[in-house]
Amino acid sequence: MFFGDPTLDRNFKGHKEGVTCVDFSCTMKQIVTSSMDSTIMIWNLKPQMRAYRFDGHTDAVLSVQFSPSGQLVASSSRDKSVRLWVPNMKADSTVFKAHTSTVRSVAFSGDGQTLVTASDDKTIKVWTVHRQKFLYSLNQHINWVRCAKFSPDDRLIVSCSDDKAIKLWDKKSRECIHSFYEHAGYATHVDFHPSGTCIAAASTDNTVKIWDIRSHKMLQHYQVHNGAVNSLSFHPAGNFLITASNDSTLKILDLIEGKLLYTLHGHQGPANCVAFSRTGEHFASGGSDKQVLVWKSNFDECKDVVSAQRAASSCMQIPAGPPTAYPPLNMQPSVKHSQATATSTRQDVHPAAHSRVSYPNRISELSTAHHTPAPSLPQNPPHSRVSLKASDVEAAPGLNSTLEHIVGQLEILTQTVSILEQRLTLTEDKLKECLANQVAIGRLLQGREEA
C-alpha cells in the first residue's frame, strides 16, 4: 500500500448550527449532512453546483444516511420522527412515526430494504423501506439508545446505549445474543468492521475499543483522544479506522499495526461526526463549528489498489493483542489546501482555516488491552509488525473482563435502587399530604358538628 498525507479537499458552510452526521452517496457526487438547525443538506461535490436544504423536521436532526443505491436519504430527529427523502429539488419525504422520544440514529441495511433506528425511548426499531411500515422493536436496553447498525450481511444488529451496554442482536430471531460491558463511560457510536467479524465502539471515556463478535474478546483498545469520542468509520478495505472527538480532532488508526497514524486538526470545537466514502478515497467530517470538511485520504496511489483491497476485505482480519513495538515515524507533516468553489443555497463555501495534520511520536499515545486472541483468528499478515507473546496469554484478562462486567451490573443496580428510592420518597410525600388532608377534613367536620 502506498501512503500519502491526508489533505483537505473541500469545506462547506451553510448550516446554521452544529453538524451532527455526514454520509457520502455511492456515486461520490454528493454528501448529505444533518444539523441541530433542524435541516438536512445535500452538497454537490462538483464545482459551481449548489447545495440543497431540506426542511421538514421540527427539531434537531441527529442522524442521516444515503441508501446503498443513493436514491433515498433517511434522517432521524428529536421530533421523534424518521423521514425518508428523495434527494432531488422537490425534496419529497415520507414520515415514519413509532418512537415516543428522540430518534438518535437511523441506518439502512446493506440491501436497502430495511431501516434500523435507535431512540431515547430505550428501543431499537426495524422498518421496511418499500412498504414504509414499522416491523418490530428490540427492547432490552434500560436507557437511551444512541446508535444501531446492521452487519454487512444484514443478519445482525449492533446497538449501544447510555446503560453502558453494547448489544448484538439476531435480526431473524429478534433476540440479544451477546452484551459487552467494557466502557467506563457509555458508547456514543458503534459499527461493524467491513468483514462483519468485529465491531468498534466510540465512548465518552475517550477510548475506542474493537471486539471480535465470535469469541467476544477485545482485540484492540485505543486511548488517543483527550475528549469523548463521538463517531467512527471503517475504511472499506478494513485496514483503517477514523474517529471524531470533542477534543476537536480526527484521528486515523492503523488497525493492522495497532497504532495511531494521523491526527487531523480542522474543526474549531468538537468534531461530531466522520465518515469514509464508499471507495475510501475521501472522508468527511462535521463539527459544532457548523463546518463540513471533505478530505482526501491519499492511502493509495491508484483506484486499482483500492478496488483490490475492497475485494479482499472479506478475508482480512484485525490482529488480536497489542503491538510489542512501535516503529518511529520519521515523516514531516504536510497539508495541501485546495480552494473550494462550490456554493450552498445560503452561503459561499470557503476553505477551512488552521487545518493541519500531525503525527504521533510517543508510544504512550496508544494504550492497548492484553486479551487472548480468538482461536479462529488467522495469523497476522506478513507485513504486520504486530506480534503476541506467550506471556500475553494469561487468565487475568478474562478475570478483568468478568470484574468489569460485574461492576457495570452493580452500577446499573445502583441506578435502579436510586430511582426506586426517589419513587418511595415521592410516595411518602403523597401519603403525608393525604394524611394532612384527612386531618384537615376531620377538623372541619368536627367544627361543623360543634357549631
Side-chain angles (χ1 to χ4, degrees):
M1 180 176 291
F2 303 98
F3 285 96
D5 302 336
T7 56
L8 183 65
D9 192 30
R10 306 286 290 278
N11 175 16
F12 295 107
K13 290 183 178 180
H15 280 298
K16 299 176 182 178
E17 295 185 43
V19 181
T20 56
C21 192
V22 61
D23 191 37
F24 286 85
S25 68
C26 58
T27 61
M28 260 301 297
K29 293 181 179 179
Q30 294 178 318
I31 292 176
V32 64
T33 56
S34 59
S35 170
M36 298 296 289
D37 64 11
S38 306
T39 70
I40 70 171
M41 293 189 72
I42 293 184
W43 313 85
N44 290 290
L45 294 176
K46 288 184 178 180
Q48 307 303 330
M49 293 287 288
R50 297 185 70 82
Y52 301 110
R53 186 192 307 275
F54 292 171
D55 296 301
H57 286 292
T58 58
D59 206 335
V61 187
L62 303 180
S63 181
V64 68
Q65 188 181 53
F66 272 107
S67 65
S69 66
Q71 296 179 355
L72 295 171
V73 170
S75 61
S76 65
S77 170
R78 273 188 186 163
D79 66 11
K80 308 177 187 178
S81 75
V82 176
R83 283 182 178 261
L84 206 57
W85 307 80
V86 179
N88 57 27
M89 293 182 66
K90 293 182 180 179
D92 296 327
S93 68
T94 303
V95 183
F96 292 63
K97 288 187 176 180
H99 284 293
T100 59
S101 190
T102 297
V103 189
R104 294 193 174 270
S105 168
V106 62
F108 281 95
S109 58
D111 61 9
Q113 303 297 313
T114 315
L115 285 174
V116 62
T117 55
S119 170
D120 285 2
D121 63 13
K122 306 176 188 178
T123 71
I124 301 146
K125 295 188 185 295
V126 178
W127 317 69
T128 174
V129 172
H130 292 297
R131 294 183 181 179
Q132 301 177 359
K133 290 184 178 180
F134 162 68
L135 294 177
Y136 58 86
S137 291
L138 305 174
N139 299 300
Q140 290 189 25
H141 281 296
I142 59 172
N143 208 330
W144 295 355
V145 188
R146 294 272 171 178
C147 183
K149 296 286 183 71
F150 285 105
S151 62
D153 61 7
D154 292 338
R155 293 189 299 175
L156 301 174
I157 294 171
V158 64
S159 63
C160 62
S161 165
D162 285 15
D163 63 11
K164 299 186 179 181
I166 297 168
K167 292 183 179 290
L168 275 175
W169 309 82
D170 184 283
K171 181 183 172 185
K172 186 176 181 180
S173 69
R174 308 179 188 179
E175 295 293 331
C176 178
I177 57 179
H178 189 74
S179 296
F180 299 92
Y181 296 93
E182 297 288 351
H183 285 288
Y186 59 82
T188 55
H189 190 100
V190 66
D191 203 0
F192 281 92
H193 184 268
S195 68
T197 61
C198 307
I199 57 170
S203 175
T204 56
D205 66 5
N206 307 354
T207 68
V208 175
K209 294 183 181 180
I210 300 175
W211 291 274
D212 187 306
I213 65 171
R214 301 161 300 181
S215 65
H216 305 149
K217 299 295 184 181
M218 188 193 303
L219 299 181
Q220 294 181 348
H221 175 198
Y222 295 92
Q223 290 180 315
V224 293
H225 281 291
N226 295 317
V229 188
N230 298 317
S231 178
L232 53 79
S233 178
F234 282 103
H235 187 277
N239 295 354
F240 304 101
L241 183 72
I242 189 167
T243 58
S245 169
N246 278 350
D247 64 13
S248 81
T249 68
L250 310 177
K251 292 185 185 283
I252 299 175
L253 308 172
D254 184 333
L255 301 180
I256 299 300
E257 298 199 12
K259 68 181 182 183
L260 174 64
L261 277 184
Y262 297 104
T263 296
L264 292 87
H265 305 262
H267 289 286
Q268 308 301 310
N272 297 330
C273 53
V274 67
F276 273 111
S277 66
R278 301 297 196 270
T279 62
E281 294 175 15
H282 292 80
F283 57 90
S285 60
S288 296
D289 57 4
K290 311 173 190 176
Q291 293 190 98
V292 180
L293 305 182
V294 182
W295 308 74
K296 193 170 182 181
S297 303
N298 295 326
F299 291 157
D300 305 282
E301 291 188 347
C302 64
K303 292 183 180 179
D304 293 338
V305 178
V306 178
S307 299
Q309 288 181 340
R310 292 187 73 198
S313 65
S314 60
C315 62
M316 293 194 63
Q317 306 295 335
I318 299 174
T324 56
Y326 296 85
L329 296 178
N330 297 319
M331 297 183 292
Q332 295 300 319
S334 65
V335 172
K336 303 172 185 176
H337 296 263
S338 47
Q339 298 293 327
T341 55
T343 58
S344 71
T345 54
R346 296 289 181 89
Q347 188 173 3
D348 291 339
V349 176
H350 306 284
H354 311 299
S355 300
R356 68 184 188 277
V357 179
S358 60
Y359 304 88
N361 54 14
R362 294 180 297 171
I363 297 176
S364 61
E365 285 191 284
L366 176 62
S367 174
T368 56
H370 296 256
H371 279 256
T372 307
S376 57
L377 283 176
Q379 294 182 350
N380 297 324
H383 63 275
S384 173
R385 296 186 180 93
V386 182
S387 61
L388 188 65
K389 295 181 179 179
S391 60
D392 292 329
V393 184
E394 301 172 349
L399 180 59
N400 289 336
S401 177
T402 303
L403 289 173
E404 289 175 4
H405 174 71
I406 292 171
V407 170
Q409 292 294 315
L410 287 173
E411 289 178 354
I412 293 170
L413 182 61
T414 302
Q415 293 175 0
T416 305
V417 171
S418 177
I419 292 170
L420 290 173
E421 288 176 347
Q422 292 174 6
R423 290 181 178 177
L424 285 172
T425 301
L426 289 172
T427 303
E428 289 174 354
D429 291 342
K430 289 289 184 182
L431 287 172
K432 289 178 181 179
E433 186 179 346
C434 289
L435 289 172
N437 289 336
Q438 287 181 353
V439 170
I441 291 170
R443 288 176 178 174
L444 180 62
L445 292 173
Q446 186 178 359
R448 287 180 178 178
E449 288 176 356
E450 291 177 353

